[in-house]
Amino acid sequence: MLDFFINAFATLFVTIDPVGLAPMFLAVTAGMSQSDRRRVAVRATLTAAGILLIFYASGQTVLNVLGISVSAFRVAGGILLFLIAIEMVFGKRQERKAETAEKAVESPGHHGTVNEVAIFPLAIPLISGPATISAIILLSSQAPDTVAYAGLGGVIAVILLSCLGAFLVADKLERLLGETAQLVITRLLGVLLAALSVQFVADGVLSFVQS
């Protein structure tokens, strides 16, 4: 069970990347007061929590309704996570996230309000994006028992609190790490996510063979 929790934490931490979201948060909240930034941080985290909770609680049901086996979703989800890992290793993911944040701020009709910025792009898709949702459904399907499944909910909560913490200290965190340190950490986490995604695919293929 400890291995499951470690695997779940590593997968979600790398996929969501709270540290990497800090500069994105600064970009989309530029010009806001400290109080508005705090409100954006809290609302973005709560919104993402609500979205992820839906898939955490009903992910298996969604698969059943669509007629998708867990094995198939493991393979598909593993491939998706592997693509994310490649972006991280080659330094493309931060560029894509920055582009998403920039488009959100510059889009027609966008006024930079607290609610708008909190929901898009922070909550969706930067925190609760497709890769994160896929990872949660994958992990919930792998939980060996009820205790592990409940513990996964705790892991998700810890990761989301990490996002909130990163947002609240974003300016200090960016100055502390510097660009070079952020690049090194992102690439190391990308290698870890690549290994985890390959394991997901291998488990899915093995399930197909055994069934």
Side-chain angles (χ1 to χ4, degrees):
M1 188 177 295
L2 179 60
D3 289 340
F4 173 76
F5 289 144
I6 294 174
N7 182 39
F9 180 84
T11 301
L12 292 176
F13 188 87
V14 171
T15 303
I16 296 177
D17 188 16
V19 176
L21 288 178
M24 304 301 111
F25 176 80
L26 291 176
V28 299
T29 58
M32 290 187 180
S33 64
Q34 284 297 106
S35 61
D36 281 344
R37 279 187 166 180
R38 283 194 295 270
R39 288 165 58 200
V40 169
V42 172
R43 292 187 184 185
T45 305
L46 290 177
T47 302
I51 295 170
L52 297 182
L53 178 62
I54 292 173
F55 288 95
Y56 165 67
S58 61
Q60 186 62 59
T61 303
V62 172
L63 295 183
N64 292 338
V65 170
L66 295 176
I68 301 173
S69 68
V70 174
S71 299
F73 198 85
R74 283 177 181 171
V75 174
I79 292 173
L80 177 60
L81 293 177
F82 186 75
L83 294 175
I84 296 294
I86 291 176
E87 286 188 330
M88 294 175 68
V89 171
F90 291 100
K92 299 297 183 182
R93 193 174 190 219
Q94 286 298 96
E95 293 179 11
R96 180 167 58 82
K97 283 189 173 184
E99 184 178 352
T100 299
E102 185 177 349
K103 285 181 179 178
V105 173
E106 296 179 353
S107 61
H110 180 86
H111 303 294
T113 65
V114 170
N115 286 333
E116 288 175 338
V117 171
I119 295 173
F120 179 81
L122 289 176
I124 310 169
L126 294 182
I127 300 177
S128 55
T132 306
I133 292 171
S134 299
I136 287 176
I137 296 178
L138 278 170
L139 291 167
S140 61
S141 69
Q142 289 184 330
D145 52 39
T146 305
V147 175
Y149 182 79
L152 175 60
V155 171
I156 295 172
V158 169
I159 298 296
L160 288 172
L161 288 175
S162 299
C163 289
L164 177 60
F167 290 159
L168 294 177
V169 297
D171 51 346
K172 297 177 182 177
L173 191 62
E174 188 174 38
R175 289 197 301 269
L176 177 65
L177 291 178
E179 185 176 351
T180 301
Q182 290 183 51
L183 289 174
V184 171
I185 292 172
T186 298
R187 281 161 173 74
L188 288 176
L189 293 177
V191 172
L192 177 60
L193 182 60
L196 290 170
S197 63
V198 169
Q199 186 64 56
F200 281 137
V201 174
D203 290 343
V205 171
L206 184 61
S207 297
F208 272 125
V209 172
Q210 292 177 344
S211 60

